Amino acid sequence: MLEIISGYTADSIKHMRDTNNYFADLQEEYRYLYENQGTSPDGNYAYKVVNNYSELNNVLEKDDTTIAIIVSIEGSHVLFDEEMSQGKLTPTQMKKRLEKNIGAIKSWEAPPLTVNLSHHFYNGLCGHSRSFAGGQRNVLNQNRGLDTGLTGLGIKVLKEYASVNNGKRIIVDTKHMSIKGRIEYYNWIRSYNYISAGDKIPIVSSHTGVNGFKTIAGSLRKIDNHVKYNSKHFNSWSLNISDEEIRIIHESTGLIGIMLDRHKLGGGEFFKNHIDSETDQEKIEESYLRMFFDNALHVVKAVGNETGWNCIAIGSDLDGAIEHIEPYNKSSTFPKLYQNMIEFLERTKYGKTLWYGLKPEVIVDKIMRKNTMAFYERHFV
């Protein structure tokens, strides 16, 4: 039951309970990823870990059988070794150890392009937003550190990630950060980008949805619970981003990855009106496409002009514990998703006033590929 609810295997759960050395696990996982790149056992496919935009392009132009891997890390709890996790170090020692461990990550052959500061649970760096509902919420307690802001250690980590004096810059992914932590981070980034106009740091929310609130403050006016969720068309929890945040990310030349998790995109009103009483599978699938474009169109509306289409990407989270949008449950279905998106827009003219004259194929190309590649060209150096 725990496996089903959490999305983790029993062996993984046991391992996580028995060890506090996240950093050792991280190092092992990276070495496994890096040292096993190459041709698959059947000789038909391969993957290559890439370290910049040029290497990425070379792999993509080579053939259709090689996957280019860009390293990312979801959750900065991975910086903690056993001594740190057990509270055996002073605050000064903690900062030095964090600096050392981030330096070790930046010395990898292919260091991560992005790292989430927070994940599902409190890590002593920054509070998190509530992400579990239903049965998951009953089993996985997120209350400790929920909705709290950045700590001194968290600020230290942000500065070490952003620095180019200790290796390549690592871009912070704001997904899972608390509203308070995000506000503090946005203020820091805006100040940095104003002072260092030639070295702007983009803000990334890699797998998210919109929450429908106009302001950041509005996102937390009511607590994140089923009542709040059930009363809205969008998933209105503070895990998702407000119109104000959309504009902040857009201004930073950042990226908003829209998830393929139906319950992170749609709220109770959407399911009540479009899904719960529907039995026709084709109509259900079309409703989910509409839900995806409701989120995308809301981003464009919040930005207020055509450039809103330049910051939207697919942030599927298919490797996470999600309820995927039917029938797009794996990456091999993306060609079908691409065609269905174009056909849906062409047939329905859905939200056409916000297309700003762009053709459906141009819009979907931006979402599925071009915006992400343009982001990599600017920042994956």
Side-chain angles (χ1 to χ4, degrees):
M1 185 176 292
L2 200 59
E3 284 185 332
I4 294 169
I5 291 171
S6 70
Y8 294 100
T9 66
D11 286 344
S12 295
I13 294 168
K14 184 177 184 302
H15 175 74
M16 287 186 282
R17 283 175 170 169
D18 291 345
T19 182
N20 288 315
N21 198 336
Y22 292 111
F23 192 65
D25 285 348
L26 173 69
Q27 299 269 50
E28 286 183 25
E29 289 192 8
Y30 170 74
R31 290 260 59 93
Y32 181 89
L33 175 71
Y34 192 81
E35 291 173 3
N36 282 280
Q37 61 184 315
T39 307
S40 60
D42 64 6
N44 294 326
Y45 304 97
Y47 79 85
K48 178 174 174 54
V49 179
V50 296
N51 194 32
N52 52 56
Y53 178 76
S54 176
E55 290 183 10
L56 170 64
N57 242 351
N58 289 340
V59 172
L60 295 180
E61 292 174 358
K62 180 182 176 184
D63 56 51
D64 292 333
T65 63
T66 301
I67 298 173
I69 301 290
I70 300 172
V71 177
S72 65
I73 300 172
E74 189 166 19
S76 292
H77 59 281
V78 297
L79 298 173
F80 286 67
D81 58 32
E82 197 144 6
E83 283 187 319
M84 300 165 76
S85 298
Q86 292 176 352
K88 294 181 177 180
L89 303 181
T90 66
T92 300
Q93 289 173 324
M94 285 286 287
K95 288 182 179 181
K96 287 183 177 178
R97 188 69 59 87
L98 286 168
E99 184 177 332
K100 176 184 175 185
N101 289 351
I102 291 171
I105 291 172
K106 288 192 172 190
S107 70
W108 289 349
E109 298 89 341
L113 174 64
T114 61
V115 175
N116 294 72
L117 191 64
S118 305
H119 201 198
H120 294 302
F121 303 102
Y122 188 59
N123 58 16
L125 304 175
C126 181
H128 52 286
S129 297
R130 187 172 296 284
S131 54
F132 294 133
Q136 286 183 323
R137 185 170 177 174
N138 294 331
V139 174
L140 303 167
N141 189 331
Q142 293 185 281
N143 291 338
R144 180 170 175 257
L146 186 71
D147 296 329
T148 58
L150 288 166
T151 67
L153 294 178
I155 293 170
K156 171 67 174 176
V157 168
L158 290 179
K159 290 179 177 179
E160 290 298 314
Y161 282 156
S163 175
V164 292
N165 297 320
N166 57 355
K168 292 177 65 172
R169 171 172 292 147
I170 295 173
I171 299 168
V172 170
D173 184 344
T174 62
K175 176 60 188 277
H176 290 291
M177 287 174 70
S178 66
I179 284 280
K180 187 175 181 181
R182 297 201 308 258
I183 291 171
E184 292 166 343
Y185 180 64
Y186 296 152
N187 289 339
W188 183 73
I189 286 292
R190 282 172 136 177
S191 176
Y192 180 91
N193 287 348
Y194 179 78
I195 295 169
S196 308
D199 182 38
K200 289 181 71 172
I201 299 175
I203 298 170
V204 172
S205 184
S206 65
H207 53 293
T208 189
V210 305
N211 64 24
F213 291 103
K214 293 186 181 301
T215 65
I216 297 173
S219 301
L220 271 182
R221 201 159 286 148
K222 295 181 179 179
I223 63 171
D224 296 331
N225 57 24
H226 285 294
V227 175
K228 183 179 180 182
Y229 172 85
N230 287 332
S231 64
K232 301 292 184 180
H233 178 71
F234 294 115
N235 183 323
S236 55
W237 282 15
S238 61
L239 180 71
N240 282 353
I241 56 176
S242 64
D243 295 6
E244 184 179 357
E245 291 181 84
I246 290 167
R247 288 188 288 273
I248 291 171
I249 295 170
H250 174 265
E251 180 189 354
S252 76
T253 69
L255 209 57
I256 298 169
I258 298 179
M259 294 182 74
L260 296 183
D261 182 335
R262 52 187 177 175
H263 285 294
K264 292 299 189 295
L265 299 185
E269 280 295 312
F270 163 73
F271 284 93
K272 178 183 175 182
N273 295 332
H274 299 285
I275 300 296
D276 292 345
S277 60
E278 184 58 69
T279 56
D280 187 312
Q281 191 60 36
E282 287 187 6
K283 290 183 178 179
I284 290 174
E285 290 178 12
E286 180 165 299
S287 290
Y288 283 129
L289 285 176
R290 185 182 293 111
M291 184 73 258
F292 180 92
F293 278 111
D294 279 346
N295 279 260
L297 289 162
H298 194 90
V299 170
V300 177
K301 184 178 180 181
V303 171
N305 58 61
E306 179 186 334
T307 63
W309 288 113
N310 298 337
C311 64
I312 305 170
I314 294 286
S316 69
D317 201 32
L318 289 180
D319 59 340
I322 72 169
E323 293 186 62
H324 61 266
I325 290 179
E326 299 172 11
Y328 314 111
N329 64 335
K330 50 192 174 184
S331 58
S332 61
T333 65
F334 277 20
K336 178 180 180 180
L337 174 62
Y338 175 82
Q339 290 298 329
N340 288 357
M341 281 182 165
I342 294 174
E343 290 167 4
F344 171 77
L345 291 178
E346 288 178 339
R347 177 169 45 83
T348 65
K349 313 299 182 191
Y350 195 64
K352 190 173 182 180
T353 55
L354 290 170
W355 295 5
Y356 290 101
L358 298 176
K359 295 183 181 299
E361 187 172 347
V362 173
I363 289 172
V364 177
D365 274 345
K366 284 175 175 288
I367 294 172
M368 294 291 288
R369 181 178 63 88
K370 287 190 174 180
N371 290 342
T372 305
M373 290 300 291
F375 178 86
Y376 290 151
E377 188 172 12
R378 290 192 303 269
H379 301 294
F380 191 29
V381 294

